[in-house]
Amino acid sequence: GKNILHKYKNTITNSYFCAVMKNLLSKINNPTDLRKLPENQLPQLAKELRDFIIDIVSKKEGHLGASLGVVELTIALHYVFNTPEDLLVWDVGHQAYGHKILTERRDIFHTNRELNGISGFPKRSESVYDTFGVGHSSTSISAALGMALASQLKGEFDKQHIAVIGDASIASGMAFEGLNHAGVTNANLLVILNDNAIGIDPSIGALKNYLTAVKEGKNPKQNNIIKSLNFDYSGPIDGHDLPKLISELERLKSVTGPKFLHVITTKGKGLQLAEEDQVKYHAPGKFDAETGKIHPKDESHLPPKFQDVFGHTLVELAKQNEKIIGITPAMPSGSSMKYMMEAFPKRAIDVGIAEQHAVTLAAGMATQGMVVFCNIYSTFLQRAYDQVIHDVALQNLPVIFCLDRAGFVGEDGATHHGVFDIAYLNCIPNMIIA
């Protein structure tokens, strides 16, 4: 982090951030500075931080909606907990812009996602405040639990370990594995569910329906999935209410064993258009910081996108063959599977963030004569490697894998590059790579 700061300290320009960096934010270089503020000034800091993110991302692009949604939560976490001694893990990292700004990277935040700039995701080599490198979802609970158990072994019983995970990410199998293990330990672990009912596309599945019922007060208190896993459950609470967040986090510091806080937030909070169209404003490109209106791109001279050609072609094929099925793990828009979902809603399936399940589901359908097109980003198919080998290839089942975002993907960086697919798929029997 210090090397990056030194490299860019003479390149900082008013056009990127000084116009919106007002009295409070300009004084916050790290969480120690943040903790010196009286609590009644934190709402003003939240406004300044939100304006700062909007201003920079409007010019430099990036993941907007998720970071806007957790501004208050980010401030509360660094205000209550003694970071970096207390360990904070952000799941995926789309929502970590406020975290980066408050942890010694405010003045270089305009280099976010640029060559030789800071990473778009938390990255251990970049800052001591980035306790775990992320980019793929659903790793935070396992990582934070590992840290908590290690702290016990070292005799560091007062150290706090916090995992912040979204409602889309917690539906993944790995997150359940982490919860299942944590529930039979006495680890000093706090899992915070940032529930905004959306990932990149709207969240789906039975767990999402359960969380919606909890938010609406329709779920009986005795029927609590998290409590059944031996977590001390609290919530749901308003994730934009700073006094309530701080009070609850302070209380949870003294609770022993695994704890779970359910927080309700609004993705895109503070920018009206981002709140109204949360899919588009997940990563909107350049936009007007005042109005939120996205600057149009002239793409008339460009060839059609690969994923759109795939999506429209799949619809045409599906019209001719009723056995064709489409499957995607939480990427209907990014993979353009949305076109088949619109045309044949019963034959196109979004399984949520569940790549392993997507592959084996495709294999199961293939045993029954279905022609399955399983569309997964190249970097995410890595998460289902055993299923590709064991459940598809060794059984010689005719599943068609359509890998999107192969090769280098630019600003998202190493966690999202699709550079391993040919190498790791070429060695698998019964696999034809076209």
Side-chain angles (χ1 to χ4, degrees), residues 379-395:
T379 184
F380 297 144
L381 187 62
Q382 296 164 186
R383 314 187 82 188
Y385 192 54
D386 183 62
Q387 286 69 28
V388 173
I389 295 173
H390 184 272
D391 299 340
V392 178
L394 290 184
Q395 301 188 79

Side-chain angles (χ1 to χ4, degrees), residues 167-404:
D167 57 283
S169 294
I170 204 170
S172 171
M174 184 176 180
F176 273 108
E177 291 170 22
L179 289 170
N180 184 55
H181 181 195
V184 293
T185 73
N186 63 345
N188 189 11
L189 171 69
L190 170 60
V191 175
I192 298 177
L193 174 62
N194 172 36
D195 185 359
N196 57 23
I198 190 167
I200 293 176
D201 289 283
S203 301
I204 59 95
L207 183 60
K208 182 258 186 179
N209 294 340
Y210 166 80
L211 294 173
T212 299
V214 170
K215 286 185 285 190
E216 295 176 352
K218 297 178 180 178
N219 182 65
K221 289 188 179 294
Q222 66 271 19
N223 181 24
N224 187 296
I225 293 173
I226 305 303
K227 285 184 178 180
S228 298
L229 294 172
N230 297 326
F231 277 75
D232 184 300
Y233 172 92
S234 60
I237 66 171
D238 182 356
H240 303 297
D241 186 331
L242 267 164
K244 188 173 290 186
L245 278 173
I246 290 170
S247 174
E248 187 59 18
L249 291 174
E250 288 284 5
R251 185 189 72 81
L252 288 167
K253 284 171 68 173
S254 62
V255 176
T256 59
K259 299 151 291 211
F260 191 101
L261 175 61
H262 187 173
V263 173
I264 310 300
T265 63
T266 300
K267 191 171 182 178
K269 179 73 172 179
L271 188 64
Q272 184 176 349
L273 291 179
E275 292 184 32
E276 293 173 353
D277 194 340
Q278 296 175 338
V279 173
K280 183 181 291 185
Y281 282 82
H282 172 75
K286 292 182 173 65
F287 61 94
D288 185 290
E290 294 295 325
T291 66
K293 186 175 181 181
I294 297 173
H295 298 317
K297 295 181 181 178
D298 181 12
E299 298 183 342
S300 59
H301 62 292
L302 298 176
K305 294 178 180 179
F306 168 84
Q307 63 264 35
D308 287 342
V309 172
F310 161 78
H312 291 300
T313 302
L314 188 59
V315 171
E316 292 303 312
L317 292 172
K319 290 177 181 177
Q320 302 169 35
N321 185 348
E322 63 181 15
K323 292 185 177 181
I324 286 179
I325 303 293
I327 295 175
T328 183
M331 289 293 176
S333 295
S335 70
S336 293
M337 188 69 76
K338 62 182 181 181
Y339 298 123
M340 187 167 175
M341 289 179 169
E342 293 167 358
F344 301 100
K346 292 184 179 180
R347 292 163 54 192
I349 306 168
D350 176 4
V351 298
I353 301 177
E355 292 85 2
Q356 294 174 322
H357 168 60
V359 172
T360 304
L361 177 71
M365 299 187 86
T367 67
Q368 301 305 303
M370 297 299 173
V371 181
V372 187
F373 288 78
C374 188
N375 192 348
I376 301 178
Y377 282 16
S378 171
T379 184
F380 297 144
L381 187 62
Q382 296 164 186
R383 314 187 82 188
Y385 192 54
D386 183 62
Q387 286 69 28
V388 173
I389 295 173
H390 184 272
D391 299 340
V392 178
L394 290 184
Q395 301 188 79
N396 201 18
L397 292 171
V399 175
I400 302 103
F401 293 103
C402 307
L403 303 196
D404 202 350

Side-chain angles (χ1 to χ4, degrees), residues 142-162:
S142 296
L145 176 60
M147 295 171 186
L149 294 176
S151 292
Q152 284 185 342
L153 292 172
K154 293 192 294 181
E156 298 171 345
F157 298 109
D158 293 330
K159 180 176 284 190
Q160 305 286 332
H161 312 83
I162 308 102

Side-chain angles (χ1 to χ4, degrees), residues 78-152:
H78 284 295
Y79 194 74
V80 171
F81 294 101
N82 187 31
T83 54
E85 283 73 24
D86 290 335
L87 302 175
L88 173 60
V89 181
W90 297 92
D91 208 276
V92 183
H94 287 150
Q95 74 280 51
Y97 288 1
H99 160 80
K100 293 203 171 204
I101 293 163
L102 295 176
T103 55
E104 301 178 347
R105 287 164 282 184
R106 179 197 63 215
D107 292 352
I108 55 170
F109 184 66
H110 65 282
T111 72
N112 186 43
R113 303 170 78 244
E114 290 184 352
L115 181 65
N116 298 321
I118 64 174
S119 171
F121 301 96
K123 186 176 182 180
R124 278 175 52 82
S125 61
E126 184 179 294
S127 172
V128 67
Y129 293 94
D130 292 358
T131 62
F132 199 74
V134 291
H136 292 184
S137 83
S138 315
T139 61
S140 62
I141 298 173
S142 296
L145 176 60
M147 295 171 186
L149 294 176
S151 292
Q152 284 185 342

